[in-house]
Amino acid sequence: MNSLFINIQPIYLIYFFYGAAFLIMAASIAAKDMKGSELMLAKSLRLLGLFGLSHGFHEWMQLYPLIEGDHLSLRAIYISKLAALIVFIVSYLFLLWFGLTLINGVSEKRVWRIARTVPVLLAVVWVLHVWYTGFTMDMQFLRQASIATRHTFGLFGSLLTAYGLTAYSREVGYLSRTAARNLAYAGASFGFYGFVAGVVSSGFTLFRFPIPVEVLRGAAGILITYFIIKALNIFDVEMRKKIELQTRRIVQAEKLTSLGQLAAGIAHEINNPLANASLGIQTLKRRISGDRMDGSVLDKLELVERNIDRAAGIARELLQFSRQQEVDVMPVHVNAVLRGTLTLLEYKLKGVSVRQDLHPVPSVMGDAGKLEQVFINVLSNAVEAMPQGGSMSIATSVEGSFVQVRVDDSGSGIPEELLSRVFDPFFTTKDVGAGTGLGLAICYGIVKQHHGTIELRSTAGKGTTVIIRLPRREDDEKDIDRG
Ligand code: ADP
Ligand code: MG
């Protein structure tokens, strides 16, 4: 026990704290309740925890021969160092794995294709590196193998993780900007760590600073732990938002049901007088043209007729929104409907760059005509939000038992306080005549009839994301619409 205080040099305290930092990170990750999280991070974070655990443990293992060195045989020291080396390699493999899962989750296929070849290359370089120094199982070998590990798995594990965390932080910005920022900082800390732990060898001082590299590694470890622990908050935010969203959905459903009944009643009541008025106008027009009367009277009548048509149009849309009738269901290929909609809207899409990411998805049971109406509304809204032009992306994917359609636009966005009202009938921010405010209300009704969900996420000034999910056909493994 005494020897701990007699033999230990200040630098070894660094090993202790450096190890402790990673162990604390591992403990924090293990203690975090991530059940029910839909974030990709929830699944991969366990790997970072395992890295923390094994890496922290490795640092402490290194202390052992340093502290007890005087009492140990050379053989015992060798074995303890060999064990530490194995734990060291394993820890960096966990880190590499973690970085790769992040990259697989967030990156384009191209980046992922390059990234996933990294482990094989590293293994080859590692073997060559060790081979080069000769394969004599002595202390020198252990030292060389440890350097080889730093230069390969250590460096690239850190760099891939740094890239992965930074890229991933952009994906979760919508949930919590603070958490996203902390993830990005953790990524930057990993970049720094990759340099001091992966490039610079132990025992060196950096540049002209009189700071041993171990101190910098310790600092990087503490920074990583600090930012990761702060970023863990994202799971609480996610849970809170989920509950809020659920509450909002229930309130919305109730509101729209009662509004729907009201709207249907009004539409019926208005439709009859409108039909009568329209008939009257027809009769008048026939008479007048028979009498060859003044053209201006005919013009006026046509104006009246157009206005009646417009009112009837609104009444029709109202009915559509509120109608609870069954839809005509049959297997529908969502990608095909989307492509059809895009063709239909071609004239509107000038000045907007459209990116299509239509992945092979199973068909859904639904009414193609109604689904088209949903897409027309959503895409029109996106275009209308970008009067100065912009970009829009349309993507389909499979999410569990749902087929998901995601439409992103770079338009004006919707202020947070209005977001809960966009599905309300007659809620519009557009000029009189430009919008009726019925589009999304109708979409909501149709999607609900399909037992799906529709959700809007938006940041004012940046753009809007609409996510529509429709249940996939169950007996439909083969019937996949390939892009
Ligand atoms: P309308 O388009 O007739 O106004 P909607 O029900 O389609 O009615 O949309 C309601 C409101 O929601 C719009 O007026 C607009 O303020 C907002 N909105 C919907 N989609 C978007 C979008 N992609 N970008 C910005 N605002 C949107
Ligand atoms: Mg609209």
Side-chain angles (χ1 to χ4, degrees):
M1 201 51 221
N2 257 346
S3 60
L4 185 105
F5 299 102
I6 297 163
N7 283 357
I8 207 154
Q9 295 174 28
I11 188 74
Y12 301 142
L13 276 176
I14 298 293
Y15 279 114
F16 176 78
F17 283 114
Y18 175 27
F22 279 124
L23 289 171
I24 289 169
M25 177 176 79
S28 311
I29 291 174
K32 191 81 209 171
D33 182 8
M34 297 179 235
K35 276 197 297 287
S37 171
E38 281 167 26
L39 295 177
M40 181 261 282
L41 189 65
K43 281 179 221 106
S44 50
L45 212 51
R46 213 166 300 147
L47 292 168
L48 186 65
L50 286 170
F51 160 73
L53 181 68
S54 49
H55 205 75
F57 191 56
H58 158 258
E59 297 306 325
W60 283 9
M61 282 173 95
Q62 284 198 308
L63 281 174
Y64 176 66
L66 293 174
I67 295 168
E68 294 292 336
D70 296 348
H71 314 290
L72 295 175
S73 68
L74 225 62
R75 193 182 153 74
I77 292 181
Y78 182 81
I79 289 176
S80 81
K81 287 200 165 185
L82 182 66
L85 174 69
I86 292 169
V87 175
F88 188 51
I89 296 174
V90 167
S91 76
Y92 279 146
L93 287 178
F94 279 132
L95 186 63
L96 191 64
W97 191 1
F98 172 66
L100 286 172
T101 33
L102 282 184
I103 289 175
N104 186 24
V106 294
S107 296
E108 296 157 33
K109 281 201 190 99
R110 191 170 44 87
V111 178
W112 166 235
R113 263 203 303 272
I114 300 168
R116 72 178 172 188
T117 59
V118 167
V120 183
L121 292 178
L122 292 182
V124 172
V125 174
W126 190 89
V127 169
L128 290 177
H129 206 304
V130 172
W131 198 283
Y132 179 73
T133 55
F135 211 72
T136 51
M137 296 293 274
D138 55 10
M139 293 288 184
Q140 178 62 15
F141 162 74
L142 289 184
R143 192 174 144 68
Q144 290 302 333
S146 147
I147 292 175
T149 306
R150 286 190 185 285
H151 289 175
T152 53
F153 302 118
L155 177 61
F156 283 90
S158 310
L159 291 186
L160 292 187
T161 299
Y163 172 80
L165 282 174
T166 315
Y168 184 69
S169 74
R170 261 175 259 135
E171 292 227 331
V172 290
Y174 76 93
L175 262 181
S176 156
R177 277 189 214 174
T178 323
R181 211 177 306 127
N182 284 318
L183 280 174
Y185 291 157
S189 308
F190 262 110
F192 173 49
Y193 177 77
F195 178 66
V196 289
V199 180
V200 188
S201 294
S202 307
F204 278 82
T205 48
L206 256 195
F207 311 118
R208 293 190 189 167
F209 299 119
I211 306 173
V213 70
E214 282 82 357
V215 175
L216 295 177
R217 282 184 203 155
I222 289 169
L223 281 177
I224 289 171
T225 299
Y226 176 73
F227 289 123
I228 289 287
I229 291 179
K230 285 194 85 174
L232 286 177
N233 182 249
I234 197 163
F235 297 106
D236 303 331
V237 177
E238 186 200 11
M239 201 48 69
R240 204 176 58 231
K241 291 233 161 151
K242 226 183 204 171
I243 293 169
E244 269 172 22
L245 189 72
Q246 244 158 26
T247 322
R248 202 176 333 137
R249 274 216 186 111
I250 294 169
V251 172
Q252 194 147 282
E254 282 172 357
K255 186 168 71 182
L256 289 190
T257 310
S258 49
L259 270 172
Q261 283 160 357
L262 181 69
I266 294 174
H268 268 299
E269 293 307 313
I270 287 179
N271 247 346
N272 288 336
L274 281 180
N276 288 337
S278 183
L279 235 101
I281 298 274
Q282 302 291 343
T283 320
L284 270 180
K285 263 169 71 181
R286 256 200 315 277
R287 284 218 189 128
I288 287 169
S289 56
D291 290 353
R292 296 187 189 287
M293 266 184 63
D294 189 356
S296 74
V297 176
L298 202 61
D299 284 351
K300 283 278 178 316
L301 279 178
E302 265 162 10
L303 181 73
V304 173
E305 196 178 22
R306 272 203 302 282
N307 279 291
I308 288 176
D309 279 350
R310 189 166 135 70
I314 293 176
R316 208 166 34 242
E317 282 189 42
L318 258 183
L319 272 176
Q320 243 162 20
F321 149 68
S322 56
R323 203 170 281 162
Q324 296 295 327
Q325 89 208 25
E326 276 305 301
V327 278
D328 276 343
V329 289
M330 52 175 108
V332 177
H333 285 146
V334 173
N335 285 342
V337 179
L338 277 170
R339 274 193 294 270
T341 311
L342 281 168
T343 319
L344 214 64
L345 291 182
E346 216 161 75
Y347 71 100
K348 265 194 163 189
L349 293 171
K350 281 190 199 101
V352 175
S353 84
V354 182
R355 190 191 142 129
Q356 293 184 46
D357 264 327
L358 306 182
H359 293 112
V361 290
S363 55
V364 301
M365 286 306 281
D367 180 327
K370 297 217 156 177
L371 289 178
E372 183 176 77
Q373 216 182 328
V374 171
F375 299 144
I376 290 176
N377 274 310
V378 169
L379 295 184
S380 302
N381 281 345
V383 174
E384 284 157 18
M386 302 183 284
Q388 252 61 272
S391 59
M392 171 162 89
S393 102
I394 302 160
T396 50
S397 59
V398 183
E399 301 292 327
S401 55
F402 290 88
V403 170
Q404 174 173 299
V405 179
R406 174 178 171 144
V407 179
D408 285 284
D409 68 61
S410 65
S412 56
I414 306 160
E416 171 120 38
E417 64 275 13
L418 298 185
L419 203 54
S420 62
R421 296 173 56 195
V422 290
F423 291 109
D424 294 0
F426 299 115
F427 173 77
T428 180
T429 54
K430 291 164 195 168
D431 292 339
V432 180
T436 56
L438 284 172
L440 286 177
I442 292 171
C443 292
Y444 181 91
I446 295 175
V447 171
K448 198 172 149 211
Q449 279 180 319
H450 283 77
H451 308 288
T453 59
I454 176 167
E455 182 191 332
L456 253 85
R457 294 176 189 162
S458 188
T459 313
K462 284 207 169 150
T464 304
T465 302
V466 182
I467 294 179
I468 298 165
R469 288 184 174 173
L470 301 164
R472 62 184 284 181
R473 267 177 80 205
E474 276 147 23
D475 51 339
D476 186 36
E477 284 313 319
K478 280 172 232 87
D479 186 17
I480 282 184
D481 174 21
R482 303 206 171 273

